[in-house]
Amino acid sequence: MSIIRTENLCKDFGELKVLKNVNLTVEPGEVIVIIGPSGAGKSTFLRSLNTLETITSGKIFIDDQLFCHAENGKIIDSMEKTKHKAMLLEMGMVFQRFNLFPHKTVKENVMIAPVNVKGVSKPDAEKKAIELLSRVGLADKADVYPNKLSGGQQQRVAIARALAMEPKIMLFDEPTSALDPELVGEVLNVMKDLAAQGMTMICVTHEMGFAREVADKVVFMADGMILEEGSPEEVFGSPKTEKAKQFLNSVL
């Protein structure tokens, strides 16, 4: 059973066709890494999965159930609202920017969604927050405010915050692109640990070493389309399309 499947996913911004018939299947526990040049549609694809962008046409399935179906810019079918919301809550997302609440401590940032969205009691949410901060190596920063943290630390808090909702799948949209080079490793290490623990992940990244090491499947996108997908050995070792060859030559 797939955890996410897209069929002929298209997204237009006016005349600009950003996604063109994107078909992708993600199995439970699978780590998918999406690579490609800027403007390929990678981030738009991620944002479409959790409805931050409304698709123009195509279908999204979650757990093999129709999540939404659009034609001509309109949603013509989707699952029942309560179930739709529940499915969304099972999708954690980490962005390029950390988007932490500056007036709340690290621990409060991690607690806020479980308490306010899922109705978890504050003592239970606090206990879970401390566990998650330990998991990302920041238990000692629980009572600190975000402006006292480095960018890498803030991004690790953002990962803990997403995990606090106990998602079935994590979406990472270039989570290290806003970081200084020396801070990238600490965030990638947390992501590697998540992958090792069996978390289903879709990662858009320019970190080719991470893609080689962690991905079960590498997806190469360009011009709004998936041009190649396969194991890291296949995509990096013997790319089939000229665009993939040119891209990999430029980044490796």
Side-chain angles (χ1 to χ4, degrees):
M1 187 174 80
S2 62
I3 194 165
I4 286 184
R5 186 171 86 253
T6 66
E7 292 184 0
N8 298 319
L9 206 65
C10 297
K11 174 62 181 176
D12 303 344
F13 291 104
E15 297 297 308
L16 183 64
K17 297 186 182 301
V18 179
L19 295 177
K20 306 169 190 172
N21 296 312
V22 176
N23 296 290
L24 184 68
T25 299
V26 184
E27 306 294 340
E30 196 171 30
V31 178
I32 308 283
V33 177
I34 303 176
I35 62 172
S38 296
K42 307 182 298 293
S43 294
T44 300
F45 176 67
L46 276 199
R47 293 171 64 85
S48 297
L49 293 180
N50 67 358
T51 69
L52 289 174
E53 300 288 354
T54 302
I55 59 175
T56 303
S57 63
K59 296 177 181 179
I60 300 172
F61 295 85
I62 298 181
D63 288 341
D64 284 340
Q65 300 173 66
L66 181 65
F67 184 62
C68 71
H69 176 198
E71 296 294 344
N72 300 315
K74 293 182 179 177
I75 302 296
I76 60 172
D77 193 11
S78 68
M79 62 176 53
E80 183 265 326
K81 273 189 176 180
T82 305
K83 200 171 182 183
H84 190 274
K85 182 181 177 183
M87 288 279 194
L88 277 179
L89 293 179
E90 292 183 339
M91 224 181 289
M93 188 156 185
V94 177
F95 300 88
Q96 297 177 34
R97 296 288 170 184
F98 329 120
N99 301 324
L100 300 178
F101 294 108
H103 61 291
K104 292 190 177 293
T105 65
V106 163
K107 181 174 65 181
E108 289 168 341
N109 266 278
V110 178
M111 290 171 59
I112 192 166
V115 170
N116 291 325
V117 179
K118 294 181 83 173
V120 176
S121 71
K122 284 192 176 180
D124 286 348
E126 183 174 12
K127 182 182 177 187
K128 182 74 173 178
I130 296 297
E131 288 174 8
L132 290 169
L133 290 170
S134 296
R135 191 169 167 186
V136 300
L138 290 171
D140 60 327
K141 303 293 185 184
D143 296 314
V144 169
Y145 287 89
N147 65 355
K148 300 296 184 185
L149 302 179
S150 70
Q153 289 171 327
Q154 289 189 58
Q155 192 62 294
R156 284 188 279 155
V157 174
I159 293 172
R161 180 181 58 184
L163 291 173
M165 293 296 284
E166 301 182 331
K168 290 170 66 172
I169 183 167
M170 287 284 287
L171 310 178
F172 291 91
D173 186 10
E174 299 193 22
T176 60
S177 65
L179 301 178
D180 292 331
E182 69 271 16
L183 302 176
V184 168
E186 64 189 66
V187 174
L188 292 180
N189 285 337
V190 170
M191 294 169 65
K192 289 174 188 176
D193 287 344
L194 281 178
Q197 291 162 20
M199 174 63 77
T200 308
M201 297 163 56
I202 307 178
C203 311
V204 169
T205 185
H206 292 292
E207 300 294 335
M208 297 300 138
F210 174 82
R212 280 181 186 271
E213 182 181 346
V214 180
D216 296 304
K217 184 160 65 184
V218 174
V219 173
F220 173 74
M221 287 186 71
D223 303 321
M225 298 177 285
I226 292 177
L227 298 187
E228 302 202 20
E229 63 177 278
S231 69
E233 293 76 19
E234 290 168 334
V235 174
F236 288 109
S238 52
K240 298 176 183 63
T241 61
E242 196 56 40
K243 285 194 173 178
K245 290 175 186 173
Q246 289 174 359
F247 173 76
L248 291 170
N249 283 338
S250 71
V251 297
L252 297 177

